[in-house]
Amino acid sequence: MNKILELVDKYIVPFVFARNNEPLLFRELLKANKMYDDGLNLEGKIPGTRVRIGRNILVFLVIWHVILLPLSALFHRELAKIDCHLLIIAAVIFTGFFFGTYSIFKAWLVDRVSLKIIKEAWHNHYPHFAYEKHHQQVSRLYGKALDKELPAKEIQLYILDHMIEEE
């Protein structure tokens, strides 16, 4: 499974996503981290990152056919004997399944890229705090800072002070 994820990161992600090399600003990191932790859709929400829809569909079609063509070749004789009415119903079901899995694939890819960008920005802004250990704490503190309506200049200090206190 790790091999597949490495291939996705190495070939599919750069092909499907357009990115600039600018790191996220501190405020953008906090917003993206909070949205990611809250389970919200990050497509179009991370600055400098854009999904190329045509390329995403192309990659999905290739993956779909790599899976589907061997299966259809394997079960060709059984499929040829089925009544045409059942095949029409099966085609409708497979079409729905196709579009459903495309949505899942696209959301998974966006989440994967978003997490990668958030971790890169985390390393720039919080080099002394591990992402896996502190991301939920920072998300919670950022939410509190927004509720208190702190100015943008004070949010970083507020979060760092509370992170150090809680350590």
Side-chain angles (χ1 to χ4, degrees), residues 25-41:
L25 300 175
F26 182 72
R27 182 94 175 185
E28 296 167 343
L29 166 65
L30 294 176
K31 184 177 177 183
N33 183 53
K34 177 124 178 76
M35 290 175 69
Y36 185 82
D37 284 347
D38 291 345
L40 300 176
N41 182 10

Side-chain angles (χ1 to χ4, degrees), residues 13-108:
V13 167
F15 182 72
V16 171
F17 287 88
R19 278 189 65 193
N20 66 7
N21 292 330
E22 298 293 320
L24 288 180
L25 300 175
F26 182 72
R27 182 94 175 185
E28 296 167 343
L29 166 65
L30 294 176
K31 184 177 177 183
N33 183 53
K34 177 124 178 76
M35 290 175 69
Y36 185 82
D37 284 347
D38 291 345
L40 300 176
N41 182 10
L42 289 172
E43 182 181 349
K45 305 280 192 312
I46 295 185
T49 305
R50 184 176 59 85
V51 179
R52 296 174 177 151
I53 301 295
R55 290 183 178 194
N56 193 23
I57 292 171
L58 178 68
V59 167
F60 182 72
L61 282 171
V62 168
I63 292 171
W64 181 266
H65 282 89
V66 164
I67 295 169
L68 194 62
L69 287 177
L71 286 175
S72 63
L74 187 64
F75 295 108
H76 178 72
R77 289 186 184 185
E78 289 80 13
L79 291 171
K81 294 176 186 175
I82 295 177
D83 182 44
C84 67
H85 295 93
L86 290 176
L87 286 178
I88 292 170
I89 293 171
V92 170
I93 291 170
F94 270 102
T95 302
F97 187 66
F98 173 81
F99 287 111
T101 53
Y102 171 72
S103 297
I104 293 168
F105 174 75
K106 183 178 172 188
W108 175 77

Side-chain angles (χ1 to χ4, degrees), residues 136-147:
Q136 291 177 335
Q137 179 186 21
V138 169
S139 179
R140 183 178 44 80
L141 291 171
Y142 177 63
K144 285 183 181 179
L146 291 178
D147 290 343

